[in-house]
Amino acid sequence: MAKTLNETLAPAERHGPTRTARIGPRTRGLAWPAAVAAAFTLAQLALVRPGMGLGWDESVYVSQVSGHTPAAFFSAPRARGVPLLVAPIASWSSSTELLRVYLALLSGLGLFLALRAWRGLFPARVLAAGGALFATLWVTVFYGPQAMPNYWVAIGALAGVGHFLRAQADPGDRAALWGVGASAALMAWMRPTDAVWVTLPLFAVLLCLPRWRRPRLLATLLVGLATGAAEWVVEAYVGFGGLSERLADASGIQGGLGWNIAVLDQLRTLGGRSLCRPCAGSIPATPIIVWWFVLPLLAAAGLAVAVRARRTPGTLLPLACATTAGIPYLFMIGYAAPRFLLPFYALLVIPVADALIHLVTASLRKRRPVAATLVALGLAGHLAVQYTVLDHAVDRTTASHRDWARTAAELHRLGVRPPCLLTGHLAIPIAFYAGCRSVQTQGHNANTTPGDIVGAAERLPVAALTTPKGQPPEFARTWEQHRVAGLRLHVAPAAG
C-alpha cells in the first residue's frame, strides 16, 4: 500500500521529495508556514479588535463555562467543543479582550500545525502560499479569534487530510496516525455532523479501494470521531431523548435539512453579513464575489497539474473532502453564514496554491514575468477586497455589540442586576452582558413558561425585551417601559 501511494506521488521531483514521509529533519521547510501563522495571528489582533465584544452564539458558548454569568440554553445542534476551548480563560476572567488574544494565538498555532501535517506532500512554498490564501480571507481573519466552532473544524479537516495521506504513504509514521485520530476528534468535538461530512471520502477510499485499505488507519479514524462525538451522543440521550431525537431537533432548528440550494444565500453573505436568515437582499458587487468563483476553478487547475505530474492522490483527496464538507451548506440548508464554508476553503487552498505557483514557474522563460505580474495583480486586488469587507464587518459587528452593552448598562440602571432574568428579543446576548439568566417561552430556545417567568418576577428582577414595534408578552404588558438602543425594555415591578 505504501509503495503504491509513493509510486503515485513519485513523479513529483519537480515539486518535492519522491517519498512523502521521513524526508529529513522535521524542521525542514517549516519556516515559511510558521511565518504565515504568525502573520495571521498579528492580523487578527490588529484588524479584529479584541474589544469587539461577544456575539450571540459566542455568548451561548462562553456562558457554559463562565463564572460571571448563568449558562444560556444550549440547543440541539451545538457541541461542547467551544466551551472547553475557551474554558482556560472564560472560567476565571470576564475580559473579552483577553479571550480574543488567547483565541488569536491559539488559531495561529492551529494553522501552523495544520500546514505542518502536509510536510513532504507539497513543497514548503506551496504550503506557505496555501496557508496565506486561507489566512487572508476576511471570513478566516474575522472568525479566527471568535469563540465559534467552524474555524476549528476547518483546521481539523486540513490537518486530518494531510496526516491521512502521510499515514497512507508510510505505515511506520506513527505521528501521522496519531494526527489522523486527533484531527478527527477535534472536528467531532466542535461539530460532529460536520466531521462526518468531511471524512466521508476518507472512509470511501479506505473501504472501497483495495490498495488503500489500512485497518489501523480505519480504526484510528473511527476512534477519533467517536472520541470527539462521545459527549454529544451521551448528552443526546440524557437531555434530548436519544440520538435520533437530537438530530431531528437540530434539523428543525436549522429549518429542516433537505434538498435546498443555498448557493445564492452564501453569495449574499460575502459582503460581510455574519448571518443571512431569512436570506434576502441583493448579491454583492462583482469585485466582492468574483474570488468565490475563481477559487474552485484554480482548484480544478491544481488537480490538472497533479494528474499531469502523476501525483493525483495528494490533490484529489482534499478536493473530495472539500466537496463533501460544502454539500450540506450549499444544497441542504435554508439559510447561510460565511463561516459555514471555512472547512471548504481550508481544503481547497493547497491545490489552489499549487496551481498558482505552477502557473508562474512552469511558464516559458519569456512569459514568466507576465504570468508573475498577472498573479501578483490578481492577489493584490483580492487582498484589497477581502480587507475592505473585513473592515466593514468588524465595524458593523462592534456597533451591534456596543448596543447590547448599552442595553445591559441601562438594565442595571433600572435595577435589573444579577441575579436577574431576561426574556424576549435579543435576550440571550444581552443577558450575557448584563449577567442575567436568559429564558424563552417559544421558538428554538424555548425553555420555560410564562407562569415560571411571572413567578420569578416575585423573587428577582425580570425584564422582557421587544423591538420598537413588537408587542410584549401578555404577562409584561403592564410593566414599566423604557427605550434604549432600538429596543423597548419592559421591566417588572421591583421584587419584594
Side-chain angles (χ1 to χ4, degrees), residues 6 132 134 155 200 220 269 273 277 286 309 312 327 355 357 381 385-386 400 420 422 436 456 461 468 496:
N6 282 327
F134 181 61
I155 289 300
L200 280 178
T220 300
T269 69
R273 298 174 65 175
R277 185 180 189 182
T286 301
T312 306
I327 285 175
I357 290 176
V385 168
Q386 293 297 310
S400 66
C420 47
L422 296 186
C436 301

Side-chain angles (χ1 to χ4, degrees), residues 354-436:
D354 192 24
L356 290 173
I357 290 176
H358 179 82
L359 178 63
V360 174
T361 59
S363 301
L364 295 176
R365 182 171 298 180
K366 294 181 179 180
R367 298 179 182 176
R368 285 180 188 173
V370 176
T373 301
L374 291 175
V375 169
L377 289 175
L379 291 175
H382 174 67
L383 289 177
V385 168
Q386 293 297 310
Y387 287 116
T388 299
V389 174
L390 175 65
D391 185 60
H392 292 163
V394 171
D395 286 345
R396 182 167 54 250
T397 304
T398 302
S400 66
H401 294 176
R402 192 175 293 130
D403 286 344
W404 296 347
R406 285 176 52 204
T407 304
E410 179 66 9
L411 285 167
H412 287 173
R413 189 188 70 80
L414 295 171
V416 184
R417 301 187 183 93
C420 47
L421 189 72
L422 296 186
T423 186
H425 182 64
L426 295 177
I428 289 178
I430 292 174
F432 180 86
Y433 282 75
C436 301

Side-chain angles (χ1 to χ4, degrees), residues 457-475:
E458 298 175 356
R459 305 186 306 274
L460 47 83
V462 175
L465 283 58
T466 66
T467 62
K469 296 182 179 180
Q471 293 297 319
E474 185 175 352
F475 58 79

Side-chain angles (χ1 to χ4, degrees), residues 89-114:
I89 300 297
S91 60
W92 59 271
S93 173
S94 61
S95 171
T96 301
E97 291 82 359
L98 181 60
L99 182 62
R100 292 273 187 243
V101 172
Y102 162 75
L103 289 173
L105 293 171
L106 206 59
S107 60
L109 176 62
L111 179 61
F112 170 72
L113 294 177

Side-chain angles (χ1 to χ4, degrees), residues 38 41 66 85 116 125 131 143 154 234 270-271 282 351 361 364 376 401 404 455-456 472 481:
T41 298
S66 174
L85 185 73
R116 186 176 181 271
R125 61 183 179 180
Y143 283 104
V234 170
L270 297 182
S282 60
T361 59
L364 295 176
H401 294 176
W404 296 347
Q481 295 186 31

Side-chain angles (χ1 to χ4, degrees), residues 42-320:
L42 294 175
Q44 294 173 73
L45 296 175
L47 302 175
V48 185
R49 296 179 283 276
M52 187 174 68
L54 295 182
W56 182 312
D57 293 291
E58 288 185 290
S59 68
V60 174
Y61 288 122
V62 174
S63 70
Q64 306 304 308
V65 293
S66 174
H68 308 279
T69 188
F73 177 73
F74 208 71
S75 60
R78 303 186 189 278
R80 300 283 175 176
V82 173
L84 293 176
L85 185 73
V86 302
I89 300 297
S91 60
W92 59 271
S93 173
S94 61
S95 171
T96 301
E97 291 82 359
L98 181 60
L99 182 62
R100 292 273 187 243
V101 172
Y102 162 75
L103 289 173
L105 293 171
L106 206 59
S107 60
L109 176 62
L111 179 61
F112 170 72
L113 294 177
L115 294 174
R116 186 176 181 271
W118 288 79
R119 68 186 188 278
L121 297 169
F122 287 88
R125 61 183 179 180
V126 173
L127 302 184
L133 287 173
F134 181 61
T136 52
L137 294 177
W138 78 264
V139 64
T140 309
V141 182
F142 186 68
Y143 283 104
Q146 293 197 40
M148 298 289 281
N150 310 87
Y151 173 82
W152 296 102
V153 175
I155 289 300
L158 181 60
V161 176
H163 284 302
F164 183 91
L165 287 167
R166 290 179 54 227
Q168 281 283 355
D170 183 1
D173 192 342
R174 292 188 176 182
L177 197 64
W178 279 97
V180 170
S183 300
L186 175 63
M187 290 188 288
W189 189 34
M190 294 293 169
R191 287 190 70 87
T193 52
D194 284 9
V196 172
W197 281 102
V198 170
T199 55
L200 280 178
L202 305 185
F203 282 112
V205 297
L206 286 171
L207 296 173
C208 301
L209 300 181
R211 293 182 178 181
W212 284 66
R213 286 177 185 166
R214 290 278 305 282
R216 287 182 61 194
L217 188 53
L218 177 62
T220 300
L221 190 59
L222 286 170
V223 170
L225 290 176
T227 300
E231 189 279 333
W232 196 84
V233 174
V234 170
E235 190 178 55
Y237 286 96
V238 172
F240 296 89
L243 183 58
S244 60
E245 287 79 2
R246 183 168 194 175
L247 290 172
D249 287 349
S251 176
I253 288 173
Q254 294 173 316
L257 298 180
W259 180 248
N260 193 348
I261 299 177
V263 175
L264 291 180
D265 294 343
Q266 285 292 343
L267 279 175
R268 292 186 178 98
T269 69
L270 297 182
R273 298 174 65 175
S274 59
L275 182 64
C276 191
R277 185 180 189 182
C279 207
S282 60
I283 294 176
T286 301
I288 294 177
I289 66 174
V290 66
W291 70 272
W292 206 67
F293 296 96
V294 172
L295 195 67
L297 294 177
L298 288 174
L303 179 59
V305 170
V307 171
R308 182 175 300 177
R310 297 177 60 195
R311 47 179 176 78
T312 306
T315 298
L316 181 58
L317 197 59
L319 294 183

